[in-house]
Amino acid sequence: MSDFHNNNGILEYLSDINERLKLLELRIADLEARNSLAINDKMAVFLTVPDSIRKSLFAVSKLTSCTADEVSEITGRHRSIENKYLNELYRAGWLERERKGKKIYYSLSKKVDNKDNEHWSAVEEVENKLDQLLG
């Protein structure tokens, strides 16, 4: 009987910890929502993409529709790394993907592909600035 009592006590303790954790997560989410700044600058929106995957996004924007192999040729990184980064961009809504046979092709998301869209404009703006600086 004492094992049962101890197990009940542990379960109650864990349940209490779980509830407190949920409350903390809600408070953190609320604080983050209040403290996040509205980004109006197109370049700043684009710069919210982590540095590690921005190069992949540039490559896809140049190729229109491409595989991880094709992106890796442009970036100089291994295909498996590009595959990881392309999937991150897909999950973040920057890219769409389509399976054709055994290959997966990535392209800019339709919402990104719209020239009036701030994401597309930011990509284009950064590319133009880089071309000016490097050209």
Side-chain angles (χ1 to χ4, degrees), residues 71-109:
V71 172
S72 70
E73 288 175 20
I74 289 177
T75 64
R77 297 187 286 218
H78 194 272
R79 185 203 57 80
S80 62
I81 297 293
E82 286 307 333
N83 193 47
K84 177 183 180 285
Y85 291 163
L86 292 169
N87 280 312
E88 286 180 36
L89 288 165
Y90 167 73
R91 284 191 297 275
W94 286 89
L95 299 180
E96 290 183 353
R97 64 182 177 195
E98 178 183 2
R99 180 177 290 280
K100 295 179 185 174
K102 292 185 177 184
K103 296 190 176 205
I104 296 176
Y105 287 82
Y106 295 89
S107 58
L108 288 177
S109 174

Side-chain angles (χ1 to χ4, degrees), residues 21-66:
L21 236 167
K22 285 179 185 177
L23 289 172
L24 284 172
E25 287 173 342
L26 289 172
R27 289 177 68 190
I28 289 170
D30 183 50
L31 287 171
E32 286 175 344
R34 282 194 232 162
N35 290 329
S36 65
L37 301 173
I39 301 174
N40 295 325
D41 183 349
K42 293 175 186 176
M43 289 286 280
V45 170
F46 181 72
L47 293 173
T48 62
V49 175
D51 292 340
S52 58
I53 61 177
R54 194 174 303 129
K55 195 174 185 181
S56 302
L57 185 60
F58 276 133
V60 173
S61 73
K62 287 194 179 295
L63 294 171
T64 310
S65 178
C66 53

